[in-house]
Amino acid sequence: MNVKKQIHIEYNFKILSRKLEKQLFPEFFTFELNSKILTMKSLHHVIPVVLILSLAACTSQPVPSDPKATPETVNLYRNLLKLQEQGMMFGHEDALAYGIGWVYEEGRSDVKDVVGDYPAVYGWELGHLELGDAYSLDSVHFDRIQGWIKTVYERGGVNTISWHLRNPLTGGSSWDTSSKEVVKSILPGGEKHEFYKTYLDKMANFLNGLKTDNGTFIPVIFRPYHEHTGSWFWWGKNLCTVEEYTALWRFTVDYFQNEKGIHHVLYAYSTDRFTSTEEYLERYPGDDMINLLGFDLYDRGPDYLPTMKNCAEMLTALASEKGKIAAVTEAGGPIAQNHGWWTGVLETLRPFDLSYFLVWRNPHQPAGHGAFAPYKGSPDSENFKEFYNDPKTLFQKEITRMNLYQ
């Protein structure tokens, strides 16, 4: 039986009042919101305090970095900020497309097979879209991905997009690191700049095709140029300068917003593991570009959970300071061998305000890795049920009730 508590989206006014109490009038008043009792030592301060609180409520509404963001995108941003203080959503890559032993089965999900519920966050990979191909580098048809994104939106879930785009200078894959001139070549004035814009045009066409039947644009989280603190992609830290990387980000976002009129995207900045906030922010393109701060972290050995804790602690502090959403944007571990992996991760992340924790895909055909999420009969299934039943974690049924786009 699912013993998860129901969590509602609401501002924590008790915390707000305590902060104001300490910062504004520590000697004059206290609030007791739970009992609805207001006591003051100086009654003439009642009206100013009420006005201050009212003004704070009116002016403290956060907004995405895009000033033209659609209403649904603004609502998603605000609700994710509030929600991360109350629970952590679980996400899975390509969750509706395929799993262990199946592909393209309507309504199926490996996670649902195990716990009877879908993930709350759904990841989609769009690599090879830039080539004009019909399907992604993971062999998922793009028209089906658009359909699933619409399905997720209608059920109240969250969609996030990654893009392992081809190397525009060499023609190789995202992992082609044979040249340090790639990013430079696609910036304005570079030899491949116009060619790179054809990549962006195809992505823009896909994004602009994300609409409901009544024409409402479907908000998505877009996470390009990820794991750049490593050097395994052509945009990695040893393959371009800080200035080139940030210029790439700024040109890309500006092109989508101002040339293509795309205003239903929240942009995610996502590193690999890092050891300091200075390292994390070294290539940060700016608060006016970014809505979500994240990091990717795969389990490479015994230092995994301590590293996860350190990264989560620094990330959530930084996100709180900047007023951004925080997330573990991509992860995975040896769940076939470590059958307690899920609760180990949960206890490590429990103290932190994270919007979501997303694991990579469960391949339906031979790949360089195994399943990163549970599936029917998998040896980690019982441990994942503990993860699912914990009040900290949020899945689709809970998220549907929260109306994140309203």
Side-chain angles (χ1 to χ4, degrees):
M1 179 178 179
N2 187 350
V3 297
K4 294 169 69 67
K5 67 180 181 180
Q6 182 175 352
I7 300 175
H8 300 282
I9 298 176
E10 57 185 5
Y11 275 115
N12 193 330
F13 286 108
K14 183 174 181 180
I15 293 175
L16 174 61
S17 69
R18 294 301 185 196
K19 288 181 180 178
L20 288 172
E21 177 185 338
K22 291 180 180 179
Q23 295 175 7
L24 299 177
F25 305 105
E27 75 279 20
F28 290 119
F29 68 91
T30 60
F31 283 98
E32 293 295 341
L33 293 185
N34 283 347
S35 58
K36 298 183 179 179
I37 297 175
L38 176 65
T39 60
M40 287 194 166
K41 293 183 179 179
S42 295
L43 188 59
H44 67 276
H45 285 287
V46 171
I47 294 177
V49 170
V50 171
L51 289 175
I52 289 170
L53 288 174
S54 299
L55 181 60
C58 291
T59 60
S60 63
Q61 288 277 27
V63 293
S65 57
D66 182 357
K68 296 181 180 180
T70 65
E72 294 77 17
T73 307
V74 173
N75 291 339
L76 177 63
Y77 180 72
R78 290 173 176 172
N79 285 327
L80 291 182
L81 281 173
K82 290 183 282 185
L83 181 59
Q84 69 186 11
E85 298 178 357
Q86 303 172 48
M88 181 179 70
M89 295 184 291
F90 175 75
H92 187 205
E93 187 74 12
D94 285 346
L96 303 181
Y98 54 82
I100 302 302
W102 64 274
V103 61
Y104 289 3
E105 292 187 23
E106 186 70 26
R108 191 169 180 185
S109 153
D110 276 350
V111 170
K112 185 173 182 288
D113 283 349
V114 174
V115 296
D117 200 355
Y118 292 106
V121 179
Y122 303 74
W124 307 107
E125 167 58 40
L126 299 187
H128 290 189
L129 180 73
E130 70 280 2
L131 304 180
D133 289 356
Y135 50 86
S136 73
L137 57 81
D138 294 320
S139 302
V140 184
H141 288 80
F142 294 119
D143 58 348
R144 284 183 173 266
I145 292 177
Q146 283 190 319
W148 285 315
I149 288 175
K150 180 180 176 181
T151 296
V152 169
Y153 174 74
E154 290 173 345
R155 67 169 58 140
V158 178
N159 289 290
T160 176
I161 290 171
S162 56
W163 192 19
H164 291 83
L165 67 167
R166 301 277 290 193
N167 186 317
L169 180 63
T170 68
S173 71
S174 289
W175 293 267
D176 179 359
T177 57
S178 60
S179 173
K180 295 185 178 182
E181 302 296 316
V182 184
V183 173
K184 181 180 179 180
S185 76
I186 62 178
L187 293 175
E191 63 177 293
K192 291 292 185 179
H193 179 63
E194 293 302 318
F195 180 66
Y196 173 64
K197 285 165 62 176
T198 68
Y199 280 13
L200 298 185
D201 290 342
K202 292 181 178 69
M203 176 60 75
N205 289 338
F206 181 93
L207 294 172
N208 278 325
L210 300 177
K211 296 180 183 180
T212 64
D213 291 341
N214 66 6
T216 300
F217 284 108
I218 298 172
V220 294
I221 297 169
F222 184 35
R223 186 175 63 99
Y225 311 123
H226 62 301
E227 299 177 8
H228 57 277
T229 47
S231 297
W232 43 85
F233 297 130
W234 55 258
W235 56 83
K237 69 176 181 180
N238 292 336
L239 284 304
C240 61
T241 67
V242 170
E243 293 76 19
E244 288 168 349
Y245 181 82
T246 55
L248 173 62
W249 253 102
R250 297 192 68 85
F251 174 80
T252 300
V253 174
D254 180 77
Y255 189 80
F256 283 148
Q257 291 179 349
N258 298 318
E259 296 295 327
K260 296 298 179 178
I262 295 172
H263 300 291
H264 55 290
V265 171
L266 298 176
Y267 293 93
Y269 173 81
S270 175
T271 68
D272 193 67
R273 62 190 64 205
F274 57 97
T275 58
S276 68
T277 54
E278 291 76 18
E279 180 186 7
Y280 184 85
L281 291 174
E282 182 186 30
R283 294 173 181 243
Y284 185 62
D287 288 341
D288 60 331
M289 296 274 120
I290 301 301
N291 306 112
L292 185 151
L293 302 181
F295 66 92
D296 297 1
L297 193 65
Y298 283 85
D299 190 340
R300 300 175 185 169
D303 68 335
Y304 182 65
L305 293 182
T307 301
M308 176 78 78
K309 178 180 182 295
N310 291 338
C311 289
E313 186 172 21
M314 287 185 282
L315 180 86
T316 52
L318 193 58
S320 177
E321 175 187 320
K322 290 179 170 293
K324 305 294 184 183
I325 303 163
V328 179
T329 41
E330 187 179 326
I335 56 176
Q337 293 78 37
N338 182 356
H339 303 163
W341 191 83
W342 297 106
T343 49
V345 167
L346 176 60
E347 294 309 317
T348 301
L349 296 180
R350 188 181 297 281
F352 306 112
D353 292 341
L354 290 160
S355 179
Y356 64 86
F357 172 83
L358 181 144
V359 296
W360 205 238
R361 65 197 191 98
N362 285 5
H364 66 93
Q365 54 191 6
H369 59 81
F372 285 121
Y375 55 91
K376 185 182 296 185
S378 65
D380 62 308
S381 292
E382 292 304 313
N383 188 243
F384 186 78
K385 290 176 183 177
E386 293 182 46
F387 178 92
Y388 172 79
N389 284 321
D390 193 282
K392 171 75 172 179
T393 60
L394 303 173
F395 286 71
Q396 183 63 73
K397 290 178 181 177
E398 293 151 305
I399 296 304
T400 298
R401 296 195 294 268
M402 294 177 180
N403 299 316
L404 295 179
Y405 301 95
Q406 297 178 15

